Amino acid sequence: MTVLLAIVVGGLYASGLFLMLRRSIVKLAFGLVLLGHGTNLLILTAAGVVRGRPPLIPKGEGAFHAPPADPVAQALILTAIVISFAVVAFAVVLLHRVHRTMGSDDIDSLESTRP
């Protein structure tokens, strides 16, 4: 499972960087989204995938029977989701403004705002 997640993370990073290197601003925003998803999966993979074991001690027991899932990684992923959503929302608003001002989404045509 870890090897599969590592391959998926690598694919998300590769495709995100590929899209960020394109000339279109819209593809740049999609590249940011893919990098955010790749980072979330990287944090999950680094913490270790544990299924069916919440980090809660059952009532009447004093300790865990098996190692539970790491709640810190889950909290980091939730924080990363919120931050990446805010960055993407800001980028989309900024890209919309650039497109409305310049009339193009080609990065090479955005050299100057002077006519």
Side-chain angles (χ1 to χ4, degrees):
M1 183 74 168
T2 305
V3 174
L4 177 65
L5 284 174
I7 292 170
V8 170
V9 167
L12 284 172
Y13 273 128
S15 57
L17 288 174
F18 176 77
L19 286 176
M20 289 181 73
L21 293 175
R22 301 286 86 197
R23 289 176 49 171
S24 174
I25 296 178
V26 176
K27 291 178 184 174
L28 180 101
F30 282 123
L32 280 173
V33 170
L34 289 177
L35 282 178
H37 290 317
T39 302
N40 293 339
L41 278 177
L42 180 66
I43 294 171
L44 180 71
T45 305
V49 180
V50 179
R51 298 179 68 166
R53 290 187 243 150
L56 303 171
I57 298 175
K59 188 174 182 178
E61 296 183 19
F64 293 113
H65 294 295
D70 187 13
V72 175
Q74 295 171 7
L76 281 174
I77 291 171
L78 286 175
T79 305
I81 288 170
V82 171
I83 291 172
S84 66
F85 177 74
V87 167
V88 169
F90 176 72
V92 167
V93 169
L94 186 65
L95 299 177
H96 175 67
R97 176 69 178 168
V98 167
H99 185 276
R100 199 170 78 183
T101 302
M102 300 300 292
S104 174
D105 70 339
D106 187 17
I107 293 176
D108 291 338
S109 68
L110 302 177
E111 294 176 4
S112 172
T113 57
R114 295 181 214 153

